[in-house]
Amino acid sequence: MSYEIGYAPRGDRHVRTTSKATAREALKTARALIASDEEIRHIKAPYGGQIGMGELELAAEREDG
């Protein structure tokens, strides 16, 4: 089970995806994508459904204990 991030360059319709095993890794990747001017199209959680950056940040905090 992993977090899936869908992203694309701004204005591009072709969505690429990457998967990360933990919320912490997914958050680091999402932040790097945003910093490189990629647009996050979706984040799917391993427990089902789409989540936003705020929910991903909370999940990463929970992993840290």
Side-chain angles (χ1 to χ4, degrees), residues 14-34:
H14 184 141
V15 176
R16 297 164 188 89
T17 61
T18 185
S19 296
K20 299 296 175 187
T22 67
R24 193 173 194 206
E25 291 172 353
L27 181 59
K28 183 177 177 180
T29 299
R31 286 179 173 163
L33 288 166
I34 291 168

